[in-house]
Amino acid sequence: MIRQIGTFIGKSILLAEKAFHKDGSTFPGKFVIKLFPSYLSKLKYPKEVIMVTGSCGKGSTTAIIANMLRSSGKTVCHNQEGSNMIRGIASTMLKNVTWGGKIPQDAIVLEVDERYLKVVTKHIQPSLIVLSNLTRDQPPRQGNYDLVYREIEKGITDDAELLCCEDDPVTKQLCLRHPEKCHTFGVDRMPSDFTSLPTAVKDCAYCPKCGKPLKFNWLHYGTVGEFRCTGCEFSRNKADFAVTSVNAEQKTITINNEMTIPVDVPLLFHIYNLAAAYGVAKLTGIPDQEIEDALKKEKMSEKIYNMIEKNGRRFVAINCKAENNATYNLAHYYTLKQPGKKVLVMGLREISRRYNHFDLSWLYDLDMEALNVPEVEQVICAGPYAVDFALRCKLAGFPSEKVVQMETLTGLAEQLKETTGDVYGILNFDYIPPFLEEVNLYK
């Protein structure tokens, strides 16, 4: 009875929202689970239920997985709007459920907030859980990665297979706790890797098994790379599904030494997303040729990366998650590898829409020191927190004349006329549209 009544109420709200052009809100799911807390437990789901969680990259990875499954001929239920908490997932189910309470698609692919995995799996049994990465993310909300890892573990169910990052000692803990059902993905050593930590950010410097120091042979970023414990056998091993080589000039990657595919933008976090999606495809039985064909079609979303060439200059917008040093640092390192002079534009309008804390401690986890090189012509800090970004630059040793502050991005086009290098907007999502508007004004 709960299934039928809840479905009727939820679908009625969805129809009403559509009539008033409010489609996409999480209110239907929120309302139904408020009335019937066990509603999601009453639905009938397909056998293939894939959940992706972690600090960053969840949305992009689920989109790639959903596309691959569709390319193989399967129908997919996917929370593509990005609403990854219980009410958003309930709304996704209401959009897809039949009046009889069944999700009719062949597979479900869900992006799940890392703190809500335990809530979602209480009602929906996953067949596969993907843990992409864990890093210092949203400190006021998350605390630290250890707390988040413990919350994720509460959401791991007995029947679910696991896919985690082999290169990340934080997520690799899953293989210690659940060795019989854990699979791994990773990215092998790249020419651009570090041999020592470039910053003081050490997300996991000690072994989660015995507590002894970890030794790193090379690092992609932070503490993600090749590690081994100095006191026990805990270490990075060969990943089950690995990007074994990256050719940044030709824009290709090779997976497991046998499948070479083009990548439109060789950003490391995009490569990791592709590696995770490849692992899911193999674990769900998609044939190699279908995987290859699907991956060749994947393009990085313009919401994440957008490049425009205008008047002899490149204008690049890279969407970075605020309060997360990993995405910003990877964008920094990518930018530094590009040829020629560079102008950086950094800023955001809102730190978070989820809470009222205005924490900026994560700025000091950014490797701003790496940007203090002659090729960086100017850093433009914009928005309500421009002074904070500028202070971080100056503490990194930037000469004062290289750092410009702007209250908003309005007038950026005029400011850029004083510079000559390619322009890289390393920005939070809310400043991508105004950045692109100013690029269009540039003459």
Side-chain angles (χ1 to χ4, degrees):
M1 186 65 72
I2 289 175
R3 183 170 63 204
Q4 288 79 10
I5 296 174
T7 300
F8 176 78
I9 293 172
K11 283 190 171 292
S12 298
I13 296 173
L14 285 169
L15 288 171
E17 285 193 335
K18 191 171 184 178
F20 287 96
H21 306 288
K22 297 288 185 180
D23 192 29
S25 83
T26 62
F27 178 73
K30 180 180 179 180
F31 187 81
V32 169
I33 61 177
K34 182 73 173 178
L35 282 179
F36 306 112
S38 64
Y39 172 73
L40 288 174
S41 300
K42 305 297 182 182
L43 302 183
K44 300 174 183 177
Y45 299 102
K47 290 183 179 179
E48 204 161 80
V49 178
I50 300 160
M51 298 183 185
V52 181
T53 194
S55 296
C56 43
K58 300 183 288 293
S60 298
T61 302
T62 53
I64 298 169
I65 293 168
N67 290 340
M68 293 180 75
L69 291 171
R70 290 189 184 105
S71 294
S72 72
K74 294 181 179 181
T75 55
V76 180
C77 169
H78 171 215
N79 60 337
Q80 60 190 25
E81 296 87 359
S83 299
N84 59 16
M85 296 186 185
I86 189 68
R87 61 191 182 188
I89 289 169
S91 293
T92 297
M93 296 304 117
L94 285 167
K95 290 176 184 177
N96 290 276
V97 70
T98 66
W99 290 103
K102 180 181 179 181
I103 305 299
Q105 286 86 354
D106 299 317
I108 296 174
V109 180
L110 296 175
E111 171 192 349
V112 183
D113 181 271
E114 51 271 38
R115 297 290 289 269
Y116 276 76
L117 181 69
K118 64 182 186 296
V119 179
V120 176
T121 59
K122 181 180 177 181
H123 302 284
I124 305 173
Q125 170 62 49
S127 56
L128 176 62
I129 298 172
V130 182
L131 178 52
S132 58
N133 53 67
L134 282 176
T135 188
R136 302 185 194 196
D137 179 51
Q138 301 179 9
R141 173 176 174 253
Q142 305 284 34
N144 62 61
Y145 65 83
D146 273 333
L147 295 175
V148 177
Y149 177 84
R150 291 171 204 158
E151 292 299 293
I152 289 173
E153 272 226 303
K154 294 174 185 175
I156 294 175
T157 55
D158 292 339
D159 296 331
E161 293 289 303
L162 304 174
L163 178 63
C164 72
C165 181
E166 178 73 40
D167 311 337
D168 183 350
V170 183
T171 64
K172 181 71 185 293
Q173 293 178 75
L174 282 181
C175 296
L176 294 177
R177 313 284 190 263
H178 311 276
E180 72 287 347
K181 57 180 184 178
C182 195
H183 312 272
T184 61
F185 68 94
V187 178
D188 286 352
R189 189 169 189 174
M190 299 166 56
S192 57
D193 287 336
F194 301 96
T195 54
S196 61
L197 292 172
T199 69
V201 179
K202 300 179 180 178
D203 278 340
C204 190
Y206 296 91
C207 178
K209 183 176 181 180
C210 73
K212 295 291 179 65
L214 294 177
K215 180 178 175 58
F216 297 88
N217 293 330
W218 51 263
L219 295 147
H220 292 314
Y221 67 93
T223 51
V224 175
E226 185 176 73
F227 58 88
R228 62 177 176 82
C229 176
T230 56
C232 71
E233 73 282 1
F234 182 69
S235 65
R236 177 196 186 271
N237 301 312
K238 181 177 174 59
D240 299 314
F241 313 107
V243 172
T244 45
S245 67
V246 177
N247 190 320
E249 291 184 2
Q250 296 183 9
K251 294 185 178 181
T252 61
I253 63 172
T254 301
I255 303 175
N256 281 4
N257 291 314
E258 57 187 17
M259 183 184 294
T260 299
I261 59 170
V263 288
D264 56 333
V265 184
L267 271 163
L268 184 57
F269 51 74
H270 181 49
I271 294 170
Y272 265 110
N273 296 342
L274 293 170
Y278 173 84
V280 171
K282 293 290 285 184
L283 292 172
T284 53
I286 299 177
D288 284 351
Q289 190 59 55
E290 292 183 14
I291 296 174
E292 184 173 349
D293 292 343
L295 287 178
K296 284 180 177 179
K297 297 175 186 175
E298 281 299 326
K299 303 292 182 185
M300 183 173 279
S301 169
E302 288 189 353
K303 293 180 180 179
I304 305 296
Y305 181 96
N306 198 317
M307 193 274 285
I308 299 169
E309 292 191 27
K310 193 172 183 178
N311 298 335
R313 300 178 79 173
R314 296 173 77 239
F315 297 85
V316 180
I318 305 176
N319 186 344
C320 296
K321 184 179 180 182
E323 301 179 281
N324 185 299
N325 73 82
T327 55
Y328 270 85
N329 281 334
L330 287 175
H332 291 171
Y333 301 148
Y334 169 82
T335 300
L336 288 172
K337 293 172 196 170
Q338 306 312 303
K341 287 186 176 181
K342 306 162 185 66
V343 177
L344 307 184
V345 182
M346 303 180 72
L348 46 85
R349 182 180 292 138
E350 297 175 301
I351 296 175
S352 176
R353 293 179 178 177
R354 289 182 174 177
Y355 47 79
N356 293 322
H357 298 289
F358 300 101
D359 176 72
L360 287 163
S361 63
W362 56 278
L363 286 179
Y364 297 88
D365 285 342
L366 301 185
D367 188 13
M368 297 295 289
E369 287 75 9
L371 300 175
N372 187 15
V373 292
E375 305 92 85
V376 174
E377 182 181 0
Q378 191 174 90
V379 179
I380 300 171
C381 304
Y385 306 98
V387 66
D388 301 284
F389 277 90
L391 174 61
R392 181 66 187 92
C393 289
K394 290 176 182 179
L395 290 174
F398 278 79
S400 296
E401 61 271 18
K402 268 193 176 186
V403 182
V404 174
Q405 296 180 48
M406 301 179 65
E407 291 185 2
T408 69
L409 283 174
T410 302
L412 175 65
E414 286 298 314
Q415 175 63 36
L416 291 176
K417 290 179 180 178
E418 299 180 11
T419 62
T420 59
D422 290 337
V423 182
Y424 293 84
I426 303 175
L427 303 156
N428 192 31
F429 73 93
D430 52 8
Y431 256 20
I432 297 293
F435 173 81
L436 294 175
E437 287 173 12
E438 287 293 319
V439 169
N440 290 327
L441 292 173
Y442 179 80
K443 295 179 182 179

